[in-house]
Amino acid sequence: MEMVFMILGLLVLAMIAFWLVQFIECKKDGKDGEQEKRYLKISLVTGLIILLGFSGVHFYNAQRNSSEVAQEETTSRVIESLASTQETTQIQTSSDEGGEVTVTTEAVDAQLEQLRKLLKEQYGVDSPHSFATGDTTGNWRITTVANGIAPEQYAIEYAKAYLIPAGGDKDGTCVYFVVNYALKTTTKLHIQNNILEVKTTEYVSGEERDAKEIQSGIVYSDNFYDLATGKQYVVESDESAGTKSESDLVTAVRASTKDSLGKGEKITDIVLEGNNLVIKIDMSGADTSLFPANQIAGTRIGSVTDSILELDDSYYNSWDTITLEFKDIGSIVLKKSDVRNQGYGKFFEYDESIFD
């Protein structure tokens, strides 16, 4: 469009110049030059119109470009603002693939509301609340039910409805409890590294009010689940792997435990008595400058038995119990029913304070 106005402007200028020359020639010849004068005025007016039109177009384009730049800047700022303020949350599906879906906070809130509504309608489980006393972390919560349904049946849904939104899947600090008055049980739900621990103990009267007293009853079960798939980690052993002879078992155990003790601590004997693997340990040379020998012995239970549980199934099938005898301290008998799988391999569940 600007090019058209430029061409027209040049033509008008040429016309003005032509009729101006004609008007001057007429004056020189003594003629009145009225016709030339009229054409000259027409050329001047036409040139003025074209000049004004060209100026208007130029002004309009300048304004439009300025507006577009301002609009782009505004749009950019809005996008940046949305990107910085819009929260997104990753939630794990219960499918076998264990995929992740990124959704907006509004969608997550709607899903959480629906899930919590289902827990309420199907199991009578309300939102958890803080302990009356005893919680020094500020991250423990408890809820009470009387539905007669084992919490393990809805533990995955409960964790996704309450623990994950509270951040329990990130740092493992959140611990939630469900007291079931009908079953007389207390169940702990705790997430660590995307693995949900569901530990159920005998209910002790009044423990629901004090975090220091919670789960002081007898342990009934302690199981672990993959949050993404809902699959339980179970202790498995291939029976077809067979067993090892006593000498092979003792040799393998001695080799696997050689680095499981500290300086001055030693295994004095390893024997297989029937199906009971007995390991005798002398802690008399242990460094007790920081901790007494009995406390150190409590931690050695795990380091010794973990290395044994790492042996293949043919060794695992060769014993039913492991007895650790600490000279002048005490002994502990660990059964296969005490073996757990937390997704990282087998381990014994035991109380480290057994010798305190």
Side-chain angles (χ1 to χ4, degrees), residues 9 16 45 114 123 128 198 240 259 269 314:
I16 293 173
V45 172
Q114 182 65 22
Y123 306 105
V198 183
S240 65
D259 297 323
D269 197 13
S314 62

Side-chain angles (χ1 to χ4, degrees), residues 297-310:
T299 64
R300 297 297 184 250
I301 298 172
S303 60
V304 171
T305 57
D306 284 352
S307 59
I308 298 174
L309 292 173
E310 289 175 359

Side-chain angles (χ1 to χ4, degrees), residues 159 163-164 167-175 189-198 224-227 233 342-344:
L163 269 77
I164 291 178
D169 60 327
K170 296 181 177 65
D171 53 22
T173 58
C174 297
V175 183
L189 303 175
H190 176 233
I191 298 173
Q192 187 74 45
N193 296 325
N194 204 38
I195 295 173
L196 174 65
E197 179 184 12
V198 183
F224 300 88
Y225 298 83
D226 185 327
L227 267 178
Y233 291 104
Q342 197 175 356
Y344 307 105

Side-chain angles (χ1 to χ4, degrees), residues 22-77:
Q22 294 298 318
F23 179 74
I24 294 172
E25 290 294 331
C26 288
K27 289 296 183 180
K28 288 181 179 180
D29 295 340
K31 299 178 181 179
D32 57 8
E34 285 297 326
Q35 183 177 359
E36 288 78 4
K37 187 176 181 180
R38 185 170 60 254
Y39 286 140
L40 179 60
K41 289 180 179 179
I42 293 173
S43 299
L44 288 172
V45 172
T46 303
L48 180 61
I49 292 173
I50 292 175
L51 179 63
L52 291 174
F54 178 78
S55 299
V57 170
H58 179 74
F59 178 77
Y60 169 77
N61 288 336
Q63 288 293 102
R64 183 182 63 181
N65 292 336
S66 176
S67 176
E68 289 177 351
V69 170
Q71 184 176 5
E72 289 178 358
E73 291 178 351
T74 302
T75 303
S76 177
R77 286 196 298 269

Side-chain angles (χ1 to χ4, degrees), residues 51-251:
L51 179 63
L52 291 174
F54 178 78
S55 299
V57 170
H58 179 74
F59 178 77
Y60 169 77
N61 288 336
Q63 288 293 102
R64 183 182 63 181
N65 292 336
S66 176
S67 176
E68 289 177 351
V69 170
Q71 184 176 5
E72 289 178 358
E73 291 178 351
T74 302
T75 303
S76 177
R77 286 196 298 269
V78 170
I79 292 174
E80 291 177 358
S81 177
L82 287 173
S84 63
T85 59
Q86 184 181 35
E87 298 179 356
T88 59
T89 304
Q90 289 184 333
I91 60 172
Q92 293 171 316
T93 68
S94 57
S95 63
D96 290 337
E97 289 88 10
E100 291 189 347
V101 182
T102 301
V103 293
T104 62
T105 301
E106 290 77 8
V108 171
D109 289 342
Q111 291 180 3
L112 288 177
E113 183 179 355
Q114 182 65 22
L115 184 55
R116 292 170 180 176
K117 181 180 179 181
L118 288 175
L119 285 170
K120 173 65 175 177
E121 292 177 350
Q122 295 184 11
Y123 306 105
V125 180
D126 287 317
S127 301
H129 56 271
S130 302
F131 278 86
T133 185
D135 178 19
T136 59
T137 69
N139 296 314
W140 289 22
R141 298 291 183 271
I142 189 167
T143 188
T144 56
V145 296
N147 54 20
I149 302 173
E152 288 200 2
Q153 295 187 29
Y154 52 85
I156 298 293
E157 289 75 11
Y158 187 90
K160 290 181 179 180
Y162 293 108
L163 269 77
I164 291 178
D169 60 327
K170 296 181 177 65
D171 53 22
T173 58
C174 297
V175 183
Y176 282 42
F177 299 88
V178 178
V179 171
N180 193 313
Y181 293 128
L183 296 177
K184 298 188 183 303
T185 61
T186 299
T187 300
K188 178 182 77 172
L189 303 175
H190 176 233
I191 298 173
Q192 187 74 45
N193 296 325
N194 204 38
I195 295 173
L196 174 65
E197 179 184 12
V198 183
K199 183 178 181 180
T200 300
T201 58
E202 177 189 20
Y203 169 69
V204 176
S205 180
E207 65 176 327
E208 70 272 28
R209 293 188 293 273
D210 191 347
K212 293 182 180 179
E213 300 297 327
I214 198 70
Q215 284 223 307
S216 56
I218 300 171
V219 177
Y220 288 149
S221 64
D222 191 9
N223 299 316
F224 300 88
Y225 298 83
D226 185 327
L227 267 178
T229 65
K231 180 181 178 181
Q232 180 182 355
Y233 291 104
V234 296
V235 178
E236 298 178 332
S237 176
D238 183 6
E239 295 296 333
S240 65
T243 59
K244 295 292 186 181
S245 65
E246 179 180 356
S247 60
D248 288 343
L249 176 61
V250 170
T251 299

